[in-house]
Amino acid sequence: MSVESRIFEICTAFFFLCAIVYGVLSHEVVGIACLTLTGGLSLIIGTYFRFVSRRLEGRPEDNPDAEVSDGAGDMGFFSPGSYWPIGLAAGATMVAVSIAYFMVWAIVISVVVLLFMIGGLLFEYHLPPSH
């Protein structure tokens, strides 16, 4: 995960540099705070990736001399045909619209629908087969 941590470290430096330049040119407190907090969040993610990369064995992405064939192989299991992501998107949309219009009854219903869809996606292959 060295590549990912390097990307976030570069983003962190960019955001802090932008905050300094923005502060010098505009003297606006809100923009300076937003850019500084963005740099801080990027620093947190980059630091996390740096700590995780120390515990993992080297990946082909981290080796500059790696070949494309070094990354070949099984990448994991991906569901060939699942309808749960569509329901998950619909549930998330319902939550967002309910919050936007602040309809408390709709927020409650949409959160229940969203949790049901998350559970369905999570346990899709962990349920016993139906006969």
Side-chain angles (χ1 to χ4, degrees):
M1 300 187 78
S2 175
V3 174
E4 293 89 350
S5 62
R6 182 60 51 119
I7 289 171
F8 277 99
E9 289 165 356
I10 291 170
C11 288
T12 299
F14 173 75
F15 290 134
F16 285 145
L17 179 67
C18 285
I20 292 169
V21 170
Y22 188 82
V24 168
L25 295 179
S26 73
H27 303 290
E28 183 194 8
V29 179
V30 175
I32 297 168
C34 289
L35 286 169
T36 304
L37 289 173
T38 303
L41 291 173
S42 178
L43 179 66
I44 290 170
I45 296 170
T47 305
Y48 172 75
F49 282 157
R50 181 67 62 192
F51 284 133
V52 169
S53 69
R54 291 181 187 164
R55 287 186 244 146
L56 298 176
E57 61 184 57
R59 301 178 309 163
E61 293 88 356
D62 298 330
N63 184 5
D65 298 325
E67 297 291 329
V68 174
S69 61
D70 293 340
D74 190 21
M75 300 297 284
F77 176 74
F78 300 98
S79 179
S82 176
Y83 293 108
W84 288 108
I86 296 170
L88 189 62
T93 303
M94 287 171 54
V95 169
V97 170
S98 301
I99 291 174
Y101 289 109
F102 197 70
M103 297 184 292
V104 178
W105 61 272
I107 292 172
V108 171
I109 293 171
S110 59
V111 165
V112 169
V113 169
L114 183 64
L115 290 174
F116 178 74
M117 294 299 166
I118 290 171
L121 182 66
L122 184 63
F123 296 113
E124 182 174 12
Y125 292 102
H126 297 288
L127 296 176
S130 59
H131 297 290

